[in-house]
Amino acid sequence: MPIPTSTSVVESAVIKAPLSQVWHLIKLQNFANFWSALKSSQWVKGTSDETDVVQWTFKDGTQLEVKQEEHSTINHYITYSVITAKPELSYSSVLSTIRCYAVTSGELEGSTFVEWTGNFSSDADAGVIQDAKFKRRDALADLAKAATKK
């Protein structure tokens, strides 16, 4: 019997770099520039002019096509969904959002708070949620390294 589990994940980090430096890195087609799990990230050709689709190829051979669903340079967030996967995913869907906030006071003033959420379909099991949690943690650590490079 499957273990009942939440179908969402939220990971966050404070990155000791200004919002402008962090936000500049968060473009689906450029994730391979900071996320060490990715071998490449590139535009998918042949999609409509109104659709932004990027293929992420992971170092383990997994390929995901992710579609940008929403993007705000004013509110500093990007939302994307996985539309195809090789090998096939064990769940129906996931919608993820990365949000950045400027830290405006306190000892970390000038830093950026980054939150990366994922909302999975109800057929995602506990293993999927745990995997998403750790992948996001690793990616946020990689983002911090990239954003603070001199």
Side-chain angles (χ1 to χ4, degrees):
M1 175 198 261
I3 299 170
T5 186
S6 169
T7 57
S8 64
V9 63
V10 179
E11 288 300 318
S12 61
V14 174
I15 296 176
K16 293 181 180 178
L19 175 64
S20 59
Q21 267 178 248
V22 176
W23 180 243
H24 177 72
L25 297 169
I26 301 177
K27 295 175 177 55
L28 294 178
Q29 72 276 15
N30 294 335
F31 271 41
N33 294 347
F34 73 84
W35 194 0
S36 64
L38 285 178
K39 181 174 149 186
S40 66
S41 52
Q42 58 197 20
W43 291 110
V44 173
K45 292 180 176 34
T47 56
S48 76
D49 292 341
E50 292 84 41
T51 307
D52 291 332
V53 177
V54 173
Q55 182 179 70
W56 288 348
T57 302
F58 288 82
K59 290 179 179 171
D60 70 1
T62 301
Q63 291 183 337
L64 300 179
E65 284 190 357
V66 294
K67 177 184 172 200
Q68 183 171 289
E69 302 288 354
E70 202 171 5
H71 178 266
S72 175
T73 55
I74 294 171
N75 294 311
H76 302 102
Y77 70 88
I78 185 170
T79 299
Y80 65 92
S81 61
V82 175
I83 57 173
T84 64
K86 292 177 190 171
E88 213 172 274
L89 299 174
S90 63
Y91 50 92
S92 305
S93 65
V94 59
L95 188 68
S96 299
T97 299
I98 301 172
R99 292 183 184 271
C100 298
Y101 303 90
V103 177
T104 61
S105 63
E107 64 184 60
L108 295 174
E109 182 178 343
S111 297
T112 305
F113 177 79
V114 183
E115 178 185 71
W116 194 339
T117 63
N119 291 297
F120 293 81
S121 53
S122 62
D123 55 349
D125 64 21
V128 167
I129 303 305
Q130 281 296 102
D131 184 57
K133 171 184 175 175
F134 290 112
K135 280 185 176 150
R136 280 167 173 73
R137 282 187 179 183
D138 291 346
L140 287 169
D142 289 343
L143 179 62
K145 286 179 201 161
T148 57
K149 273 186 187 168
K150 300 278 185 216

